[in-house]
Amino acid sequence: TYRAPVSSTSSEQWCPNSYPSTEMAASDESPMVRPTVQELTAAGVEEPPRQYVLPEQDRHGDLLAADEFPEPTPLIDLSRLTDADEAERLRAALQTWGFFLATNHGIEDSLMDAMMSVSREFFRQPAEEKQKCSNLVDGNGKDYQVEGYGSDKVVSEDQVLNWSDRLHLRVEPEGERNFAKWPSHPESFRDVLQEYASRTKKIRDLVLRSIAELLEIDEDYFVNQISNKASGFARFNYYPPCPRPDLVLGLRPHSDGGLLTILFNDDNVGGLQIQRDGRWYNVPTKPHTLLINLADCLEIMNNGIFRSPFHRVVTNVEKDRLSLAVFYAVDAETMLEPAPGLLDDKRPSRYRKMLAKDFVAGLFEHFRQGKRFIDTLKI
Ligand SMILES: O=C(O)CCC(=O)C(=O)O
Ligand SMILES: [Fe+2]
């Protein structure tokens, strides 16, 4: 049986790719801070350093290979979910893919444009500016925090790193926002993110209620699983162009750990791929839409009727790419188990139950070994 490692720093890492940066120290006396991917590309590297290169057996010939997304694109009008036909389209999207693209989600184009623009501006700043939000404690490369700017945490020699940097900020519970880690440049960053996050929270609740209705359980069942201690994180992913997209991944394959993820993608640059029946598909983008996907805890709570999609990000030679994922989770003390209303003699529970804090603790370790933790809970 799996025993979750005890680690205070990992207790809030709801996305297995969200481990912040520290280079493995050669010894305790000589910790080393690794350059960000953006710094590597700025220095003009022609070959990705060895730590980023996927082992040959994981490349399956052509890494980028993915199929075009089959019709119809799962596009859902969130303002029409009270109509039976739109709700049925949502059901089909969740059954087939575990995600959908949302239109009429209530965030004005101008707010989305502002969000993307301040995010781009943050990453465009000189390294010293960005380091003011660093996730390293005292900048020493040894201790790190859940929040802040940085790149992958390195925990072992054989770990394959992602071709991306990130800024990771808590947005929920609202009272626990740590503004010391929020960029002060550009100046409007803070207000724009606060406004944006208040909107994504409404979208979260709307979508969770719609899913409960589709499943014919109490409309508030999933929303009620979210206590006032539940966390939400905004994760800004920055993917610099890569000289060898055939050798690396922007984000390694994973499913998100929480309940629901609301993703705002750069619509000019593709890169996100989703797996279905063992094949990878390029996810289409559409200006001012949001991509909303189920995450592992919600898969457990709905007893696997709707699944949390396995996804990854590929890089490209020419363009940098930015995405903003807002991860919504439950609090650490929540028992993860299927909604009782979905279980009966004919429909037994498909997952072992587990406390959320034990689940989140196991996520990264399994991810690192190329496994999905949720698979180990299946009965
Ligand atoms: O950048 C993307 O399109 C996906 C990001 C993602 O999967 C994540 O942050 O967990
Ligand atoms: Fe993800």
Side-chain angles (χ1 to χ4, degrees):
T1 55
Y2 175 77
R3 312 228 18 217
V6 182
S7 159
S8 57
T9 45
S10 71
S11 65
E12 284 284 13
Q13 297 296 349
W14 282 101
C15 174
N17 271 302
S18 284
Y19 262 62
S21 165
T22 46
E23 180 63 56
M24 273 234 301
S27 76
D28 275 358
E29 289 78 50
S30 59
M32 204 169 58
V33 178
R34 194 168 51 80
T36 60
V37 177
Q38 194 174 6
E39 284 165 333
L40 284 177
T41 51
V45 290
E46 277 166 21
E47 287 290 317
R50 152 192 83 70
Q51 299 99 309
Y52 294 87
V53 176
L54 287 156
E56 191 126 25
Q57 71 268 20
D58 291 348
R59 278 184 252 145
H60 305 298
D62 185 0
L63 233 202
L64 290 172
D67 292 337
E68 278 320 299
F69 202 84
E71 293 286 339
T73 303
L75 201 62
I76 304 297
D77 181 341
L78 287 193
S79 69
R80 287 191 55 236
L81 277 177
T82 43
D83 295 3
D85 60 330
E86 201 63 9
E88 282 314 309
R89 282 157 46 88
L90 174 63
R91 183 196 306 280
L94 294 176
Q95 246 157 14
T96 314
W97 298 104
F99 87 93
F100 60 94
L101 300 181
T103 60
N104 286 325
H105 41 62
I107 309 185
E108 310 85 307
D109 290 0
S110 57
L111 179 55
M112 292 189 86
D113 293 342
M115 191 68 258
M116 191 49 83
S117 145
V118 293
S119 311
R120 281 212 164 269
E121 255 180 77
F122 170 75
F123 285 99
R124 218 182 280 133
Q125 295 177 105
E128 314 84 75
E129 272 305 313
K130 290 182 296 237
Q131 288 304 341
K132 290 181 183 163
C133 304
S134 169
N135 56 11
L136 302 177
V137 178
D138 302 328
N140 73 5
K142 244 188 348 173
D143 304 313
Y144 61 90
Q145 299 157 332
V146 169
E147 287 185 82
Y149 166 73
S151 45
D152 289 350
K153 180 199 175 194
V154 180
V155 298
S156 80
E157 280 289 344
D158 55 4
Q159 185 178 339
V160 181
L161 304 181
N162 292 308
W163 194 263
S164 54
D165 304 324
R166 82 211 43 148
L167 173 66
H168 197 223
L169 301 174
R170 177 191 288 282
V171 293
E172 296 292 335
E174 236 179 90
E176 286 178 37
R177 292 179 185 172
N178 175 10
F179 294 120
K181 291 285 166 191
W182 290 40
S184 47
H185 294 279
E187 244 171 68
S188 56
F189 186 101
R190 181 165 152 173
D191 288 347
V192 172
L193 178 56
Q194 303 228 71
E195 185 60 31
Y196 183 84
S198 75
R199 308 300 186 84
T200 52
K201 191 174 178 177
K202 291 203 183 102
I203 296 171
R204 172 194 75 183
D205 292 347
L206 170 71
V207 171
L208 289 178
R209 289 199 173 97
S210 305
I211 294 177
E213 276 190 22
L214 287 176
L215 295 168
E216 294 175 12
I217 57 174
D218 175 10
E219 183 193 43
D220 286 325
Y221 181 81
F222 298 122
V223 172
N224 287 342
Q225 299 293 308
I226 305 174
S227 78
N228 56 10
K229 285 196 254 123
S231 66
F233 281 92
R235 183 176 136 126
F236 301 79
N237 296 296
Y238 181 71
Y239 308 88
C242 179
R244 294 292 305 273
D246 54 326
L247 298 179
V248 308
L249 281 172
L251 273 191
R252 290 174 51 222
H254 67 282
S255 52
D256 298 338
L259 274 177
L260 201 71
T261 304
I262 300 179
L263 182 74
F264 177 15
N265 249 321
D266 192 325
D267 54 64
N268 291 310
V269 198
L272 177 61
Q273 300 181 340
I274 284 204
Q275 198 180 58
R276 196 181 101 192
D277 299 332
R279 298 181 80 91
W280 290 104
Y281 294 92
N282 289 316
V283 176
T285 57
K286 201 170 151 27
H288 301 119
T289 60
L290 293 169
L291 188 156
I292 301 182
N293 67 270
L294 253 75
D296 295 345
C297 294
L298 194 55
E299 173 175 328
I300 295 171
M301 289 180 188
N302 84 64
N303 206 24
I305 296 169
F306 302 136
R307 312 289 283 275
S308 158
F310 200 45
H311 54 286
R312 67 180 186 182
V313 176
V314 297
T315 62
N316 77 89
V317 184
E318 273 156 31
K319 291 183 174 167
D320 60 356
R321 176 173 181 274
L322 202 117
S323 71
L324 165 56
V326 183
F327 302 110
Y328 286 108
V330 288
D331 85 61
E333 301 301 331
T334 303
M335 182 58 81
L336 299 177
E337 59 188 331
L342 294 173
L343 304 177
D344 57 35
D345 290 348
K346 294 203 189 73
R347 301 176 302 171
S349 173
R350 294 188 189 148
Y351 302 84
R352 277 191 294 121
K353 58 173 162 181
M354 178 175 265
L355 274 174
K357 64 179 169 201
D358 294 331
F359 182 75
V360 80
L363 273 180
F364 179 69
E365 195 43 41
H366 282 75
F367 168 73
R368 212 167 63 72
Q369 297 165 15
K371 290 185 236 151
R372 288 176 78 182
F373 192 29
I374 192 168
D375 289 340
T376 70
L377 299 187
K378 287 184 182 152
I379 298 173

